[in-house]
Amino acid sequence: GATHEVGVFEMTEEGLREVANPSAAFLSERGEAAPGSTVTVTVEGTRPLLVEIQALVSATGFTMPRRTSTGFDLNRLFLLLAVLQKRVGLPLGNQDVYCNVVGGLKIGEPAADLALAISVVSAFSDVAIPSDLVAFGEVGLAGELRSVSAARARINEAVKLGFSRVLLPTSSARALRKDAPIELLGAATLSEALRHVMPTGAR
């Protein structure tokens, strides 16, 4: 196959076996909705994959709060935390923040920005995100949401796995809403996106 494509395999008693539905495999151990957990759709090569992004936020015991990331670019995490503090007003200056992409996958595209930001707010507020929701979109420094490539393929993957709502940038939602097989929640800014998923007063 092409060098930019991704194959997913698991080691079994009979040897190496291809995972026919990687998205289902990555979400197989996901339980009930819990604070700090959001599902996003990342694209590896041309294959959309549903993955869970987790965040944990707790009061720091150090002078400088810790920021730790597994599977997500640490510099990107710093940027998103700065946007959350400046544009959303989330007081993270005295909080340790840990983030993790479940399943060991490394995400190198900005489409996961929105899901990670939502996970951080959810963890800080101790409020769970609805389990039927998938979120994707790039977050800009002004707090705006920017469209990402392959939005239709990402939505179709969410439909295949039984999700009923997708939170995405307004520009993408407008272009795809007419024939979308799932409810699309468009948001122009990060603050607007959070209003879709967080109860009033939770932030």
Side-chain angles (χ1 to χ4, degrees):
T3 56
H4 66 280
E5 290 299 337
V6 173
V8 180
F9 301 86
E10 65 175 344
M11 183 61 72
T12 67
E13 294 180 355
E14 292 77 27
L16 205 60
R17 183 175 68 87
E18 180 185 5
V19 177
N21 191 339
S23 293
F26 283 126
L27 299 180
S28 62
E29 297 184 27
R30 187 169 186 253
E32 296 296 321
S37 171
T38 308
V39 174
T40 191
V41 193
T42 185
V43 173
E44 295 293 333
T46 60
R47 169 177 282 182
L49 298 173
L50 284 166
V51 293
E52 180 184 359
I53 295 184
Q54 296 179 331
L56 179 65
V57 178
S58 62
T60 186
F62 305 96
T63 304
M64 291 288 291
R66 297 186 63 184
R67 276 81 170 95
T68 303
S69 176
T70 303
F72 193 90
D73 181 69
L74 185 59
N75 288 325
R76 195 76 188 170
L77 174 62
F78 290 154
L79 182 151
L80 291 173
L81 296 181
V83 171
L84 283 170
Q85 291 184 88
K86 184 69 175 180
R87 307 301 180 191
V88 179
L90 202 66
L92 295 172
N94 62 347
Q95 302 288 317
D96 292 331
V97 179
Y98 307 87
C99 82
N100 176 51
V101 179
V102 177
L105 192 68
K106 292 184 179 180
I107 298 179
E109 62 163 357
D113 286 357
L114 178 57
L116 178 57
I118 290 173
S119 291
V120 171
V121 176
S122 170
F124 178 83
S125 305
D126 200 29
V127 174
I129 300 301
S131 59
D132 66 339
L133 180 121
V134 170
F136 63 82
E138 179 181 356
V139 177
L141 291 178
E144 80 279 14
L145 296 186
R146 297 178 177 271
S147 60
V148 296
S149 63
R152 188 179 298 277
R154 296 175 199 264
I155 290 170
N156 290 339
E157 186 70 10
V159 172
K160 283 167 51 180
L161 268 291
F163 289 86
S164 58
R165 293 184 291 169
V166 175
L167 179 60
L168 71 170
T170 297
S171 54
S172 297
R174 286 174 180 167
L176 300 170
R177 183 169 282 130
K178 184 177 179 180
D179 57 350
I182 193 172
E183 182 182 0
L184 302 184
L185 305 175
T189 65
L190 181 53
S191 294
E192 185 180 347
L194 291 170
R195 287 194 291 271
H196 278 298
V197 297
M198 300 292 291
T200 303
R203 302 193 308 277

